[in-house]
């Protein structure tokens, strides 16, 4: 810095130092913090801090190095704070996403998801069964008739009713094989 012996006041010396290095220091800080307002604040704070402490510092202290070190430390603190805040925000966001996934999965009812598919397959399979087998199976399942009642209505034996019901179940089991595990979980 220019010496006071050359006839300049402290304020003039400070103003000259400020004008000469301010933009360089701001560019340095802004390169790291990527926020011009923050870079300007750090530069002004560091310049003022140097000026206030200049009489306490060693006479061989390099003012530019002192101010630049102060700016560097402010930038480091700022970036470390941002990193901590971002880590927390990312962690909170990740935790929220996980919570949403868990809640969604808990609310998921596979039977409901596949109910229409299963009903369609059952209907198509029943349509492919022989008329007598389909009719006896539906009497058993939809009308809740006993085997004896079905046998009397159709004029066949109870063993005949059991044969048709078993045949229908076997065909349904084969066509619904991909859904059996899901159904077993819920029934």
């Amino acid at each position: 810095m220019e010496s006071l012996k050359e006839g300049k006041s402290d304020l003039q010396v400070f103003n000259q130092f400020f004008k000469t290095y301010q933009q360089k220091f701001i560019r340095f800080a802004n390169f790291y913090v990527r926020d011009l307002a923050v870079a300007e604040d750090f530069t002004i704070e560091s310049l003022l801090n140097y000026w206030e402490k200049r009489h306490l510092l060693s006479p061989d202290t390099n003012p530019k190095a002192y101010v630049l070190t102060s700016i560097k430390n402010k930038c480091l603190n700022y970036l470390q704070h941002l990193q901590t805040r971002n880590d927390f925000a990312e962690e909170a966001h990740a935790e929220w996403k996980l919570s949403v996934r868990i809640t969604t999965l808990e609310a998921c009812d596979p039977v409901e998801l596949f109910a229409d598919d299963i009903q369609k397959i059952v209907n198509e399979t029943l349509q492919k069964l022989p008329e007598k087998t389909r009719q006896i199976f539906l009497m058993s399942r939809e009308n809740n008739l006993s085997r004896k009642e079905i046998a009397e209505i159709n004029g066949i034996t109870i063993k005949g009713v059991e044969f048709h019901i078993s045949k229908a179940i076997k065909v349904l089991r084969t066509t619904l094989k991909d859904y059996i595990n899901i159904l077993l979980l819920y029934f």
Side-chain angles (χ1 to χ4, degrees):
M1 275 185 113
E2 294 182 35
S3 168
L4 289 176
K5 294 177 185 174
E6 294 178 13
K8 292 189 177 183
S9 71
D10 278 355
L11 186 56
Q12 289 174 324
V13 172
F14 177 74
N15 284 339
Q16 183 61 43
F17 180 68
F18 187 86
K19 285 179 186 177
T20 304
Y21 295 105
Q22 177 190 18
Q23 289 306 313
K24 291 176 186 175
F25 290 149
I26 290 172
R27 280 193 304 274
F28 173 82
N30 193 44
F31 178 79
Y32 292 102
V33 298
R34 309 284 165 113
D35 185 331
L36 188 58
V38 171
E40 288 172 348
D41 287 347
F42 289 170
T43 298
I44 292 169
E45 287 172 15
S46 297
L47 284 165
L48 290 175
N49 183 35
Y50 165 74
W51 193 251
E52 290 170 358
K53 293 183 179 181
R54 72 187 185 285
H55 297 297
L56 304 173
L57 301 173
S58 168
D60 61 339
T61 298
N62 180 333
K64 293 180 284 191
Y66 182 90
V67 172
L68 196 59
T69 300
S70 175
I71 292 170
K72 172 190 148 192
N73 290 334
K74 288 179 182 301
C75 290
L76 277 172
N77 290 339
Y78 176 82
L79 293 173
Q80 288 168 343
H81 174 74
L82 275 182
Q83 183 179 31
T84 302
R85 194 173 79 201
N86 287 344
D87 287 348
F88 175 76
E90 287 173 15
E91 185 178 311
H93 182 69
E95 202 170 298
W96 175 81
K97 283 178 20 182
L98 181 60
S99 175
V100 167
R101 287 173 37 209
I102 289 169
T103 303
T104 304
L105 190 55
E106 287 174 342
C108 175
D109 185 354
V111 173
E112 284 183 29
L113 291 175
F114 297 116
D116 291 338
D117 292 346
I118 293 169
Q119 188 61 53
K120 183 179 176 187
I121 292 169
V122 167
N123 291 341
E124 289 173 359
T125 303
L126 291 176
Q127 290 303 314
K128 293 177 185 175
L129 290 174
E131 180 64 32
K132 190 75 157 173
T133 303
R134 180 177 61 249
Q135 187 181 35
I136 290 172
F137 180 78
L138 291 174
M139 290 174 139
S140 166
R141 297 302 191 253
E142 288 185 355
N143 300 336
N144 293 321
L145 297 176
S146 69
R147 286 172 165 64
K148 183 179 177 186
E149 292 171 318
I150 297 170
E152 289 173 3
I153 292 170
N154 288 290
I156 60 173
T157 65
I158 293 177
K159 287 282 185 192
V161 171
E162 290 173 355
F163 167 78
H164 286 290
I165 292 173
S166 294
K167 182 177 178 181
I169 290 173
K170 184 177 178 182
V171 172
L172 284 169
R173 187 175 288 140
T174 301
T175 58
L176 292 172
K177 69 181 181 301
D178 295 332
Y179 298 92
I180 294 291
N181 290 335
I182 293 169
L183 293 170
L184 289 176
L185 287 173
Y186 286 91
F187 301 109

